[in-house]
Amino acid sequence: VQNYSHDFGPFDGAIWLNCSHQGALPRIAAEKLMEAVSWKIAPQHLTQERFNQIPKYLKELLGQIIQRPAEEIILANSASYGLHLVANGMRWNQGDEVLVLRGDFPSDILPWLGLADRGVRVRYIKARAQTVTADELSEAITPATKLFCCTWIHSFTGGVIDAEAIGDVCRKNNVRFVMNCSQGLGARVLDLSQTNVDAITCVGFKYLCGPYGTGFCWMQPEFRESLHYNKAYWLSIQTAEELGADSDEPPVLRKAGAKTYDVFGTANFFNFVPWTASLEYLLQIGVKQIAAYDQSLVTQLLNQLDREKYYLISPEDPASRSTLIVFSSHSRNDNAEIYERLRQKQIFIAFRRGNLRISPHLYNTPQQIDEVVSLLNST
Ligand SMILES: Cc1ncc(COP(=O)(O)O)c(C=O)c1O
């Protein structure tokens, strides 16, 4: 088995098993960041070509991750950014309803709550298992439902939605479907050609191994064009070269497709240069290969975890697993203390909603899983 851990770190002796919070930056990306810093120290290196190329190339790589054309990618600084584009851009009517999943990550709920003053109501689906099923969604939809927003992989249960089936339910009922892929892209293949989704949004700083403050959004072109959003960023409409023209003609507002929605500062050198390097690195290995590697660590952990001591909250079945392993001590009150004990040994997992969560990625090794499980089992 390939060992990817040398492409990351140094971790100063720590074991980082919390990719669902922050993915580690590959070394190559850190090197590229230093290069970008050197351009700003001596700004003659911040050339026009770099200015133009950085967002363009980043979009190409993100397009490869989701197998969509680069020109359909919207650059962002978070997952919330794309969700707000949709929330603020849709043409809402008084009495419209948005369905969300109770217990979902707050980013997926808050943007819609902000529409209350436009008469839009948010209603919650309570999932019976780890996440919402197509049947549960189907039962919850009413004639007022205009949109369903949900996470692909649940941050607190590790459950994965059946995006195809959910997309079909939405399409059948004329409901827009927005999916937050933050906990999956980079560790799992997403086949958009099989999924009726109107928009996806994703952070760059988890499984895509980018710096914090990165993200992107993609929308079906037809959906994107239907949005009404008052945003006219000069760099989406013209290039910096055009500033050389000997004219004070007022700028002309014109449609620029997905570019119109890019977060301001599209040549964000310190974030986008290293993120680009991370994506190049991941794509070189291949998402399928990464998914297989990550799943081998998940399987190892699940096989070794002492079930007399712990019970699993995330899915057990290999077909419905993610890279988020959520579990609890049979005496739930012990979880906080177990988390703390691991932390003191420089093993970083997550403590979320009363449970323990382990989320490995490429830089983790089977030896690290052995180490964490033997500590968990002997605690
Ligand atoms: C599903 C999900 N969405 C979004 C985020 C973060 O979102 P944002 O980029 O909006 O801060 C997280 C975790 O940090 C998450 O688990």
Side-chain angles (χ1 to χ4, degrees):
V1 181
Q2 180 92 26
N3 185 336
Y4 302 101
S5 65
H6 307 298
D7 299 333
F8 292 85
F11 289 88
D12 302 335
I15 298 180
W16 182 254
L17 281 164
N18 194 4
C19 190
S20 285
H21 168 46
Q22 291 282 335
L25 193 72
R27 280 167 184 266
I28 183 69
E31 282 166 25
K32 293 286 178 186
L33 169 60
M34 294 316 289
E35 201 182 313
V37 170
S38 78
W39 303 341
K40 184 67 182 172
I41 290 172
Q44 72 274 17
H45 298 301
L46 286 179
T47 61
Q48 195 55 51
E49 204 202 335
R50 288 186 167 135
F51 219 86
N52 297 339
Q53 191 57 24
I54 284 162
K56 189 162 172 278
Y57 185 45
L58 176 55
K59 288 182 188 201
E60 277 171 30
L61 297 175
L62 290 167
Q64 286 175 38
I65 295 275
I66 60 164
Q67 289 170 43
R68 279 291 172 271
E71 60 272 16
E72 292 180 6
I73 302 292
I74 296 166
L75 296 179
N77 55 14
S78 57
S80 291
Y81 181 84
L83 295 166
H84 280 82
L85 286 180
V86 176
N88 294 328
M90 269 188 48
R91 294 165 195 272
W92 302 101
N93 291 312
Q94 189 83 20
D96 283 348
E97 181 182 273
V98 173
L99 282 177
V100 295
L101 174 61
R102 197 185 157 100
D104 202 345
F105 196 83
S107 301
D108 294 330
I109 299 173
L110 290 165
W112 322 108
L113 292 179
L115 298 170
D117 60 359
R118 293 205 234 169
V120 177
R121 199 165 75 100
V122 172
R123 207 152 52 78
Y124 297 89
I125 302 177
K126 197 162 166 47
R128 282 179 283 272
Q130 290 101 341
T131 191
V132 63
T133 65
D135 286 343
E136 286 170 327
L137 173 64
S138 193
E139 281 163 30
I141 289 174
T142 71
T145 312
K146 290 292 171 316
L147 183 140
F148 173 60
C149 173
C150 182
T151 182
W152 185 23
I153 292 162
H154 199 297
S155 315
F156 310 118
T157 70
V160 187
I161 60 165
D162 182 343
E164 264 179 63
I166 294 223
D168 288 345
V169 168
C170 288
R171 184 59 56 95
K172 204 174 100 206
N173 290 281
N174 213 11
V175 168
R176 296 292 189 179
F177 175 30
V178 178
M179 183 164 71
N180 178 352
C181 299
S182 298
Q183 292 291 1
L185 281 183
R188 191 181 190 90
V189 176
L190 175 66
D191 187 358
L192 285 179
S193 69
Q194 301 301 315
T195 311
N196 285 321
V197 63
D198 293 286
I200 65 167
T201 182
C202 189
V203 301
F205 53 86
K206 298 185 193 282
Y207 295 87
L208 292 175
C209 295
Y212 183 70
T214 55
F216 78 100
C217 170
W218 169 86
M219 297 184 207
Q220 289 282 3
E222 162 276 319
F223 179 54
R224 191 187 68 226
E225 294 302 317
S226 77
L227 299 184
H228 176 76
Y229 194 69
N230 180 17
K231 191 164 175 300
Y233 179 41
W234 71 282
L235 275 169
S236 301
I237 289 167
Q238 62 184 81
T239 63
E241 278 106 332
E242 289 173 46
L243 298 179
D246 182 13
S247 156
D248 65 355
E249 274 298 302
V252 179
L253 188 61
R254 48 186 153 82
K255 283 217 166 235
K259 251 172 131 180
T260 311
Y261 295 99
D262 283 339
V263 68
F264 301 144
T266 38
N268 181 342
F269 297 97
F270 293 173
N271 268 350
F272 286 171
V273 168
W275 192 22
T276 297
S278 300
L279 293 168
E280 269 182 331
Y281 170 77
L282 297 177
L283 284 163
Q284 206 179 349
I285 298 166
V287 177
K288 227 168 148 178
Q289 179 75 24
I290 297 170
Y293 180 79
D294 286 359
Q295 279 310 307
S296 73
L297 298 178
V298 170
T299 305
Q300 182 192 345
L301 196 142
L302 292 181
N303 287 344
Q304 294 177 358
L305 191 69
D306 184 352
R307 304 308 175 92
E308 304 268 302
K309 278 199 158 80
Y310 301 98
Y311 65 95
L312 200 60
I313 286 148
S314 52
E316 180 86 61
D317 164 29
S320 40
R321 265 180 216 161
S322 63
T323 45
L324 284 66
I325 309 159
V326 184
F327 59 102
S328 169
S329 164
H330 282 291
S331 27
R332 258 181 92 73
N333 289 338
D334 293 351
N335 288 341
E337 203 187 309
I338 295 168
Y339 163 78
E340 194 51 43
R341 215 171 299 152
L342 261 62
R343 209 173 68 89
Q344 273 161 20
K345 297 224 181 280
Q346 294 291 294
I347 297 176
F348 295 90
I349 69 169
F351 179 58
R352 293 284 189 277
R353 299 207 171 150
N355 298 313
L356 300 167
R357 183 186 70 192
I358 292 185
S359 49
H361 200 23
L362 220 46
Y363 38 79
N364 296 118
T365 61
Q367 293 73 28
Q368 292 182 332
I369 300 291
D370 277 343
E371 201 173 321
V372 67
V373 181
S374 84
L375 253 164
L376 280 167
N377 289 350
S378 63
T379 292

